[in-house]
Amino acid sequence: MAVCGESGDTTQFSEYIAKNVHLYKMKNDYELSPRASANFTRRMLADSLRSRERYNVNLLMAGYDEVEKKAELYYMDYLASMMELPYCAHGYGSYFVLGCLDAYYKPDMSVANGYELLKRCIAEISKRFSINLPTFSVKLIDKDGIHDQEPIHARQLVI
Amino acid sequence: MGSAKYDRAITVFSPDGHLFQVEYAQEAVKKGSTAVGVRGKTCVVLGVEKKSVAKLQEERTVRKICLLDNHVVMAFAGLTADARILINRARVECQSHKLTVEDPVTLEYITRYIAELKQRYTQSNGRRPFGISCLIGGFDFDGTPRLYQTEPSGTFHEWKANATGRSAKTVREFLEKYYSPEETDTEEKTVKLAIRALLEVVQSGGKNLELAIMRHGQPLQMMDVERIDEYVKEVEKEKEEEAEKKKKK
């Protein structure tokens, strides 16, 4: 899960979800599927929305479904709207990045091509966005779990 | 019998200082199937007697060894339904602890939590104590293996090896005789000791035992029936050899 939004809320909310997903595994001997986890997270966000203090977090949740044998990506915002998407982005940078993704995304991209597409998006942000976002950490999620990838540094990219 | 007047509401002491409901709970534990725990140098082994299942019953739904967290495992003797409640509360507490302090629970912490929960039920009106004795084993964050036992009264102690449930006394006496740091310095020896202890009171055969091994930094391993059978055969062979030696003397 990648979170952005109100500082503090982000950590609190993401850790709460992570521990609850783990508790489910302990209690029921099997893991929640990505779809179930995403829906659970959305429910938590929705409940908090109409309560005393809402969680001001936007997030992207990625997972690999062992049963369906496919990877899934969920987009969720602080109003608890959720969508399963092939590509998505949060934040002001998303205005620039979504066009890039629209143009260059293909459903059957390889890992290397996907990484290149990420680089392209970050190059776009570093060129067009007024705030300097120098470094991006990257994680790959596949059937073997979560793997750290080489971080992307904006200044090393060819624009 | 004087005790009959003092065992209805358990908040009442009897004239000679007994809490009869707690003692009756301990009797319920003695009726449950045996559970044994042995703390080795590199692993903690928990073994339970598997009660024979009815012909039409699905075997895998009878679970007496439960994982509380990645590094904590529990076996119990007594009322299974009571155990389910305690296990659920303990599992939530394990995650809650991680959420608030970023660290996994220590064995002592979670044992204390379970024991406090049990004690609360011995001091409230209208509630009866939990009729189970738990053996909680696992590894602390620093790699130390630990084994604890809790009673229905809410007391808990750390043990090197212990048993609870039916014929626990026999098994404990066996362990007192044969447990030593040398006998448990490898995983194989520890497992063998646990199986030998259980075989004192359980019918021989891999089908009647369930064994779990907890190693530091690794997920819980439930031993499969074939392996248990192998160990049982080895143990029986050793017993026979010992008996032969004694005869010759």
Side-chain angles (χ1 to χ4, degrees), chain A residues 15 19 22-23 26 29, chain B residues 63 69-70 91 95 102:
Chain A
E15 285 187 357
K19 298 299 177 273
H22 194 65
L23 178 64
M26 288 288 124
D29 254 343
Chain B
R63 283 291 185 78
D69 199 354
N70 292 332
R91 282 174 173 160
Q95 298 312 311
E102 256 328 274

Side-chain angles (χ1 to χ4, degrees), chain B residues 50-51 53 57-64 210:
Chain B
K50 251 198 327 209
K51 267 204 175 108
V53 291
Q57 192 177 56
E58 290 276 10
E59 206 188 303
R60 60 176 177 72
T61 55
V62 183
R63 283 291 185 78
K64 286 198 56 175
E210 206 176 309

Side-chain angles (χ1 to χ4, degrees), chain A residues 82-118:
Chain A
M82 183 177 87
M83 204 64 217
E84 208 246 304
L85 294 168
Y87 54 85
C88 43
H90 274 300
Y92 287 119
S94 66
Y95 292 120
F96 306 103
V97 148
L98 283 171
C100 205
L101 288 166
D102 274 339
Y104 295 107
Y105 172 82
K106 288 188 186 34
D108 54 352
M109 288 175 100
S110 67
V111 171
N113 285 339
Y115 191 79
E116 286 304 309
L117 182 52
L118 262 185

Side-chain angles (χ1 to χ4, degrees), chain B residues 35-50:
Chain B
V36 76
V38 181
R39 185 188 80 193
K41 196 155 163 225
T42 57
C43 66
V44 178
V45 178
L46 289 181
V48 293
E49 170 193 356
K50 251 198 327 209

Side-chain angles (χ1 to χ4, degrees), chain A residues 44-101:
Chain A
M44 293 284 117
L45 276 171
D47 286 341
S48 94
L49 187 61
R50 285 181 202 274
S51 73
R52 184 184 44 87
E53 188 72 37
R54 65 158 192 247
Y55 279 114
N56 214 339
V57 290
N58 300 310
L59 58 107
L60 301 174
M61 195 180 254
Y64 185 85
D65 195 331
E66 309 265 293
V67 175
E68 304 278 316
K69 301 253 187 302
K70 64 186 185 79
E72 290 174 352
L73 176 63
Y74 291 90
Y75 166 99
M76 232 175 294
D77 72 4
Y78 71 105
L79 294 171
S81 54
M82 183 177 87
M83 204 64 217
E84 208 246 304
L85 294 168
Y87 54 85
C88 43
H90 274 300
Y92 287 119
S94 66
Y95 292 120
F96 306 103
V97 148
L98 283 171
C100 205
L101 288 166

Side-chain angles (χ1 to χ4, degrees), chain B residues 80-97:
Chain B
T80 318
D82 283 6
R84 223 176 31 236
I85 304 294
L86 270 183
I87 290 167
N88 278 334
R89 299 279 277 271
R91 282 174 173 160
V92 174
E93 180 60 24
C94 282
Q95 298 312 311
S96 194
H97 185 273

